[in-house]
Amino acid sequence: GAIMPQIYDEVRFMLEVFLPNVSKIEGALRDNILVWALSLDNQSILDVIRETACLPASPDGKILKKPSQLLSPNCEATKLYNDHDGRFLNLDYSSIMNTLQKLGMKEDYLPWEDIKERGYSLEQLNGINPKAAVKQSKIFLEYLSRKIANCSNVVANDELKHASEMMKKMKILPLTTSVESDVLQWKNQELLSLVCAEDSYLSSNDSLLSSCAELVDSNLIPENVQGFLGLKAKSIPPDLLLQQFNSLIQTEFEPKI
């Protein structure tokens, strides 16, 4: 009986030795053991892997994540991330894909919390590299449009309203790069930048607002996203209309040189 504590089967090895110390194990050895363990299809092992940050999710293999924090290569949201965001499994997992998906690897739409996090990430990028942020915003808004279209039941609609209120405040919308009228000095001084829905209006209102409000590009924002962010139903305050009219009058009566 005294020798029994020294005997390890695969379950005991994984639960008592490997998974508690996974961050200390050399990368190639760790990855081989993970693939082997996942292919065993042992429920006791899988239940612990599900709740353990043990899967390599960065190019150097040092960032470890839970299965539910990772994206399947077939997930539409992959375009919203890069290799350094820690959402892609850096492991040859073709033989264990089905197991990973059962453990929570995302293969469909992201939850709203993740989408809001991507919105904040876009804001941060806008502060560092506005040109790259404007390019990325197009991808983000297209994905957001598909996510909104996929929300049809009552529970999802409650989530939709909450997400809408949060995202109206995020700088995720590209300013328009042209207006129909060039008579007035244009409000959009910095073209390569993102603004939030709360502080802007659709560029389809350019004849009413071009000199006094930030205008976001109606052509780059899908229609259901315009509605989601409250842009379609947004009324124009009288003081802005008066400001535009006043600018127009001043321009008309400026002496021509």
Side-chain angles (χ1 to χ4, degrees), residues 17 56 103 154 159 165 168 175 238 247:
V17 179
L103 294 179
V154 176
E159 283 187 296
E165 291 307 310
K168 284 175 184 177
L175 288 167
S247 299

Side-chain angles (χ1 to χ4, degrees), residues 46-187:
L46 295 180
D47 286 344
V48 180
I49 289 178
R50 179 186 282 110
E51 302 303 327
T52 306
C54 60
L55 298 165
S58 60
D60 62 7
K62 291 181 180 177
I63 295 175
L64 302 178
K65 293 290 182 77
K66 297 178 183 179
S68 61
Q69 295 173 304
L70 300 173
L71 301 178
S72 159
N74 303 319
C75 180
E76 284 196 43
T78 53
K79 293 179 182 177
L80 303 181
Y81 297 90
N82 63 47
D83 290 342
H84 297 282
D85 288 322
R87 300 302 296 262
F88 304 122
L89 182 57
N90 185 21
L91 185 69
D92 180 11
Y93 55 96
S94 52
S95 63
I96 49 171
M97 172 67 86
N98 290 339
T99 302
L100 288 168
Q101 288 173 346
K102 288 175 188 173
L103 294 179
M105 176 185 264
K106 293 183 175 66
E107 53 183 324
D108 292 316
Y109 292 101
L110 295 180
W112 280 110
E113 281 305 312
D114 286 8
I115 292 176
K116 285 183 278 188
E117 182 276 326
R118 285 293 85 194
Y120 288 125
S121 172
L122 198 54
E123 281 192 310
Q124 291 175 331
L125 181 60
N126 188 50
I128 301 165
N129 186 341
K131 187 175 181 179
V134 169
K135 186 177 179 181
Q136 186 65 15
S137 73
K138 186 174 185 293
I139 296 168
F140 178 76
L141 293 171
E142 286 173 354
Y143 180 83
L144 181 58
S145 175
R146 292 194 291 273
K147 171 71 175 179
I148 294 165
N150 193 53
C151 292
S152 55
N153 61 57
V154 176
V155 176
N157 284 339
D158 288 337
E159 283 187 296
L160 206 65
K161 289 171 188 173
H162 178 69
S164 168
E165 291 307 310
M166 294 281 293
M167 297 185 76
K168 284 175 184 177
K169 300 175 174 64
M170 293 183 189
K171 292 182 178 180
I172 56 175
L173 303 175
L175 288 167
T176 187
T177 55
S178 64
V179 289
E180 287 184 14
S181 172
D182 58 0
V183 174
L184 298 176
Q185 185 175 359
W186 191 14
K187 171 75 173 177

